[in-house]
Amino acid sequence: MLILKSVSLFDGDQLLEGTFDILIEKSKIKAIVPEGNKIDIKGARSIELKGTLACPGFIDIHAHLREPGEEWREDIESGSLAGARGGFTTIVAMPNTSPPLDRPELIRHIARKGREVRGAKVLPSGAISKNREGKELAELFGMAKEGAVLFTEDGSPTSNTELLRNALLYTKDLNLKIMEHPEDPYLSNGGQINEGKISALSGLKGIPRSSELIGVERCIALAEELRSPIHITHVSTKESISAIRSAKERGIPITCDTTPHHLSLEESEIIKSDFNPVYKVKPPLRTLEDIEALWEAISDGIIDAIATDHAPYHPDEKDLPFEEAPFGIASLECAVAVVLNEWHNRKQKISIERILRLFTSGPSRILPERYRELGKLKEGGIANITVLDLEKIKKVNASSWVSKCRLTPWDGITLKGWPILTIVEGEVFQIDI
Amino acid sequence: MRVKHRHLLDLRNWSREDIESVLHLAKEFEKKLNHEREKASCLRKAIIVNLFLEPSTRTRVSFELAGKMMGATVINWSNSSSSMVKGESLKDTVWTLEAMGVDAIVIRSRTIGTAAYLAKKLKRASVINAGDGAHAHPTQTLLDIYTLWKRLGSLAGKKVLILGDILHSRVARSNIIGFKKMGAKIIVSAPKTLLPLDLSPLGVQYEPDPLKAVKSADIIYVLRIQRERIKSSLIPSLREYNLRFGCARELLTEASSKTVVMHPGPINRGVEIDSEVSDSSRSIILEQVKSGISIRMAILYLLLKAREG
């Protein structure tokens, strides 16, 4: 038995008035009572949390955990522990592994490991096509039965539009979403950074903004025609936001997410850092105007989730000149803090509820129906809880990370607002009070 | 004469005064070269490695001569003959070189950021960027400025037309920064496919018609066009390019009689420049090549001496 004492509460949708004590028994939330209505249970462990905020456990629907095949970068266990340290209780692992997660037996393996890990629970996603080649549909039904929670070719877009269309039709009855990485690979071929000011100054090949927009528009066209829902991941430009906003207004069933790095880092960091590859990411870091458009989209509810796109590499793989380094930022352990820190700069304009929904009820609605409860904090629910201290100021210290990858643009940066306690299925995982 | 820099990666952080220090010192070295042709001994204790990971003739030979003229031990290290062929990483190669006591590494690479990467890895040695992809080629810019400085006295108020493939050119990027620091104004002219989408960060004026652009230009700086630009559909043919943007007699007739023509080399005769122009009295292309040696002597001297404090 565990009692969280005197904590404020966000239930997945809104902040509740007052402070509460939360009683946890085994893996369930037994009771939530207003502070003062004493819960006194002999032998129960209690944690004093005055001044902090309990939320449903945070969900990351987009992380690369590299298992199977590239476990030197990360694996299910290290990713799970890193996620819990960063405030996440559920993580969706991407299928662009080696081999790709394109078969039911591989999904079964990841699903089993993902349930057994100590930290955040890991849910598998499956590839849309066999071997991620974009030629033949993978066994989507079989993978769904084994626990795949969404399908995606992420790492790259679905190369064949007909295949993507067929996948949308095929999964419509499975009630699972296709998650699409929006990019036109011909337009972004060889590109390194956003096409614009910094590509002009540096000579690095630019990725045109239209590359992402064409990917977004393709999703919108297919979702509209088929009335089949699609989720667009790591949206990064104001043009994409504008297209998504207008599609949503027309009632087209699309959802989208963006990332902590696209919400906080400008393309100019690349040149300021003398081409430090920790800033190399796909889609590329954009402009201040794009960052503002993303925050505006958060403010008016156009963005449905924030996902890390945690993309770990071994130091040697990323320790290269910018042009040769792979795309990807590691962030599981500071992603929530990065977003909260940015929110502090904008809190006059955006309520904390907006932000918290993007980590809780928002992503839970992108997952299959049976996971909807993960986005709620309520009596009788699973005891997945993330406790935040919105005022906590702490420096990112990547050398202390449990993730195998410490290549992060925020190392040494001081951030305000941190997760201080993560409880996964009743187990206290991390205390930083 | 001193500069505060340990490395020369690009010219962003080099002040006009830094550049002028290089010019004045280069002039001293050039005098010696012209009169005595004797090797100096001011860098006799220095070991310099030319690490050329991309083919080059003039820049490599120019650095080699510059180092040797000052008595340094110069080692030429190329990609094909080194253990990098066996898969050794750049980082390990560089650490090996530093362990051998190398004082300066002159690096040419097709990869942007390689020089900056080496500078972060090395604890002691200086790094000189001899060209990284389409990013920067600062010694080319310094030798171009030096060539013009000798001929025109000052670049202040002068108009430079940069003609050709700006998008893929490290020389263009470095020259725009360097020339502007020295007070020049830059006009660029090229097909739109060979320009950055947004030119405003470069702070240059765009004139699509080179015949118009050349009218006010004191200097025409011609850039090389590579055949692969046709393959990547950026220009339809070399012939068409030559007709529209080639530096030919017709272009020069629109310019002032004092206008000079420059090119970083190697040139494609009949493509971006006609022989009639490149071999004419208006061309200062070979002066640029000559300036390269004394400029590189000055750079090596200043960086290695700056390190000594």
Side-chain angles (χ1 to χ4, degrees):
Chain A
M1 292 262 216
L2 173 68
I3 305 168
L4 308 182
K5 295 194 83 74
S6 314
V7 71
S8 301
L9 207 143
F10 171 76
D11 68 0
D13 188 44
Q14 59 193 338
L15 287 169
L16 304 185
E17 286 277 330
T19 51
F20 299 84
D21 291 350
I22 303 173
L23 174 64
I24 295 164
E25 191 177 4
K26 291 180 180 162
S27 63
K28 291 282 172 71
I29 295 171
K30 181 96 173 163
I32 300 174
V33 296
E35 190 189 8
N37 295 18
K38 275 196 167 176
I39 308 178
D40 248 343
I41 293 166
K42 223 177 176 183
R45 177 187 178 194
S46 75
I47 304 172
E48 179 58 53
L49 290 170
K50 202 170 181 59
T52 67
L53 174 62
C55 310
F58 282 11
I59 303 164
D60 180 12
I61 54 165
H62 185 153
H64 297 270
L65 300 189
R66 309 299 193 196
E67 183 175 340
E70 290 160 339
E71 288 86 350
W72 64 85
R73 295 174 175 170
E74 195 79 280
D75 58 32
I76 299 297
E77 195 180 341
S78 66
S80 152
L81 295 172
R85 286 260 299 238
F88 294 100
T89 58
T90 308
I91 291 172
V92 179
M94 290 296 102
N96 62 333
T97 48
S98 181
L101 302 176
D102 65 347
R103 296 195 301 278
E105 56 272 26
L106 287 169
I107 295 293
R108 190 190 313 143
H109 167 77
I110 300 298
R112 184 183 53 76
K113 277 194 92 167
R115 278 191 301 273
E116 289 170 359
V117 280
R118 280 184 51 234
K121 298 301 168 194
V122 176
L123 304 173
S125 60
I128 295 171
S129 70
K130 285 180 189 149
N131 210 26
R132 287 182 71 244
E133 284 173 348
K135 290 178 184 159
E136 295 173 74
L137 279 183
E139 291 180 11
L140 304 178
F141 175 70
M143 289 194 282
K145 271 180 61 179
E146 293 295 348
V149 294
L150 47 85
F151 297 113
T152 180
E153 299 277 89
D154 183 73
S156 49
T158 309
S159 55
N160 177 333
T161 308
E162 188 190 20
L163 185 100
L164 176 59
R165 191 175 187 278
N166 289 340
L168 283 164
L169 284 169
Y170 191 82
T171 52
K172 206 169 171 179
D173 298 335
L174 301 178
N175 292 316
L176 250 79
K177 281 204 175 74
I178 299 285
M179 177 166 105
E180 182 60 5
H181 164 131
E183 179 186 352
D184 181 315
Y186 290 97
L187 282 177
S188 51
N189 185 28
Q192 300 281 322
I193 60 173
N194 181 48
E195 184 177 47
K197 185 178 165 193
I198 303 304
S199 67
L201 287 172
S202 68
L204 286 166
K205 187 169 179 194
I207 297 175
R209 308 167 64 79
S210 54
S211 173
E212 179 173 307
L213 182 61
I214 286 166
V216 167
E217 294 282 16
R218 181 172 81 151
C219 291
I220 292 170
L222 292 173
E224 180 167 30
E225 183 174 72
L226 306 175
R227 287 283 136 194
S228 188
I230 190 163
H231 178 74
I232 308 170
T233 195
H234 50 52
V235 167
S236 68
T237 69
K238 64 177 195 294
E239 293 87 354
S240 297
I241 288 297
S242 163
I244 290 166
R245 177 177 280 118
S246 125
K248 283 191 165 189
E249 281 164 8
R250 283 181 283 141
I252 298 169
I254 53 167
T255 47
C256 71
D257 68 68
T258 190
T259 73
H261 45 277
H262 289 110
L263 287 168
S264 62
L265 299 174
E266 231 194 305
E267 58 171 358
S268 57
E269 299 290 345
I270 294 160
I271 216 157
K272 277 191 225 154
S273 71
D274 259 337
F275 308 108
N276 187 339
V278 296
Y279 294 103
K280 182 168 174 176
V281 65
K282 203 176 232 187
L285 298 181
R286 307 286 190 180
T287 65
L288 195 57
E289 226 182 327
D290 293 304
I291 295 175
E292 292 307 321
L294 292 174
W295 279 100
E296 197 184 323
I298 286 179
S299 165
D300 53 22
I302 296 300
I303 290 175
D304 301 275
I306 293 175
T308 63
D309 195 7
H310 174 73
Y313 287 94
H314 187 272
D316 284 344
E317 293 174 296
K318 191 94 171 161
D319 187 4
L320 290 168
F322 193 92
E323 255 188 306
E324 290 171 2
F327 293 92
I329 278 174
S331 63
L332 268 176
E333 283 169 69
C334 66
V336 169
V338 166
V339 175
L340 292 176
N341 186 67
E342 287 296 314
W343 167 76
H344 269 289
N345 300 333
R346 292 172 165 79
K347 65 182 166 192
Q348 302 306 325
K349 291 184 195 157
I350 299 173
S351 71
I352 190 67
E353 279 117 319
R354 279 272 184 227
I355 305 297
L356 300 177
R357 278 180 215 134
L358 299 178
F359 284 112
T360 56
S361 51
S364 81
R365 277 194 282 270
I366 293 156
L367 297 176
E369 184 72 37
R370 64 183 183 279
Y371 293 103
R372 209 66 22 115
E373 294 298 306
L374 289 181
K376 294 174 185 161
L377 180 56
K378 60 172 192 180
E379 282 184 355
I382 299 168
N384 279 355
I385 299 173
T386 298
V387 180
L388 303 176
D389 181 345
L390 295 176
E391 301 304 315
K392 188 179 181 75
I393 294 171
K394 195 172 80 173
K395 199 183 261 190
V396 178
N397 176 10
S399 65
S400 71
W401 282 10
V402 293
S403 167
K404 289 184 185 176
C405 181
R406 286 125 193 218
L407 299 167
T408 184
W410 296 285
D411 194 20
I413 303 289
T414 300
L415 301 171
K416 183 176 180 184
W418 283 85
I420 53 162
L421 177 66
T422 310
I423 296 172
V424 186
E425 294 183 0
E427 211 170 308
V428 175
F429 188 77
Q430 177 220 11
I431 299 183
D432 185 10
I433 301 168
Chain B
M1 273 170 264
R2 285 207 175 274
V3 291
K4 60 182 184 299
H5 307 279
R6 187 177 123 199
H7 308 294
L8 174 58
L9 306 180
D10 58 44
L11 289 174
R12 269 187 300 141
N13 302 320
W14 282 55
S15 66
R16 184 177 176 148
E17 289 70 33
D18 290 333
I19 293 173
E20 280 169 351
S21 295
V22 177
L23 302 181
H24 288 290
L25 188 60
K27 199 166 183 184
E28 295 302 315
F29 281 124
E30 189 173 319
K31 267 189 218 159
K32 284 194 176 167
L33 278 176
N34 285 343
H35 295 299
E36 301 161 27
R37 225 187 197 206
E38 272 177 19
K39 284 186 186 173
S41 58
C42 48
L43 291 183
R44 70 180 184 285
K45 290 182 186 166
I47 304 171
I48 300 164
V49 172
N50 286 329
L51 183 58
F52 276 63
L53 307 179
E54 189 189 56
S56 159
T57 309
R58 67 195 66 216
T59 306
R60 188 186 59 73
V61 172
S62 185
F63 267 110
E64 186 176 352
L65 275 171
K68 285 182 172 165
M69 292 311 291
M70 291 189 293
T73 302
V74 180
I75 295 160
N76 288 320
W77 184 296
S78 79
N79 211 7
S80 56
S81 62
S82 77
S83 49
M84 291 174 88
V85 176
K86 300 181 200 165
E88 184 175 78
S89 71
L90 179 63
K91 176 174 65 181
D92 288 328
T93 302
V94 169
W95 282 346
T96 303
L97 292 172
E98 190 156 60
M100 290 177 184
V102 164
D103 299 291
I105 295 179
V106 178
I107 172 84
R108 156 70 65 91
S109 164
R110 65 179 83 248
T111 306
I112 291 174
T114 306
Y117 175 81
L118 294 193
K120 280 180 201 150
K121 293 285 163 205
L122 291 168
K123 292 184 179 67
R124 202 183 70 87
S126 291
V127 176
I128 299 166
N129 186 2
D132 64 329
H135 171 230
H137 194 354
T139 59
Q140 177 71 45
T141 300
L142 291 170
L143 74 88
D144 288 336
I145 292 172
Y146 180 59
T147 309
L148 291 168
W149 181 68
K150 280 189 293 177
R151 186 169 267 258
L152 308 174
S154 162
L155 267 174
K158 295 284 186 291
K159 277 198 174 173
V160 184
L161 165 63
I162 301 182
L163 184 64
D165 185 357
I166 315 287
L167 184 64
H168 304 97
S169 173
R170 53 185 166 226
V171 175
R173 271 182 194 84
S174 280
N175 279 10
I176 289 168
I177 293 172
F179 287 2
K180 281 170 62 183
K181 282 197 175 175
M182 303 311 286
K185 289 196 168 62
I186 316 283
I187 312 165
V188 297
S189 190
K192 283 268 194 186
T193 46
L194 297 180
L195 289 172
L197 190 65
D198 180 7
L199 271 176
S200 59
L202 300 179
V204 297
Q205 188 191 330
Y206 170 59
E207 171 50 62
D209 183 354
L211 290 169
K212 282 188 192 157
V214 84
K215 285 185 193 298
S216 60
D218 300 291
I219 298 120
I220 305 172
Y221 200 101
V222 185
L223 295 171
R224 191 160 71 93
I225 298 297
Q226 290 174 283
R227 282 177 193 281
E228 69 192 59
R229 304 300 168 221
I230 301 176
K231 278 190 218 149
S232 45
S233 303
L234 294 174
I235 50 171
S237 70
L238 295 180
R239 198 183 76 86
E240 181 170 293
Y241 181 84
N242 179 255
L243 286 173
R244 279 188 73 198
F245 293 97
C247 188
R249 183 160 43 129
E250 296 75 20
L251 189 70
L252 282 193
T253 54
E254 298 295 318
S256 144
S257 59
K258 288 182 187 158
T259 304
V260 294
V261 176
M262 303 177 84
H263 191 300
I267 61 174
N268 290 310
R269 291 174 185 267
V271 181
E272 74 270 1
I273 192 162
D274 286 2
S275 291
E276 207 179 342
V277 174
S278 66
D279 303 342
S280 74
S281 58
R282 314 277 286 272
S283 159
I284 56 171
I285 296 171
L286 291 177
E287 281 179 47
Q288 290 173 265
V289 177
K290 192 180 169 200
S291 298
I293 302 168
S294 25
I295 276 291
R296 285 166 180 133
M297 288 171 82
I299 286 294
L300 287 168
Y301 182 85
L302 284 171
L303 294 184
L304 294 178
K305 288 292 165 190
R307 224 186 44 198
E308 284 173 10

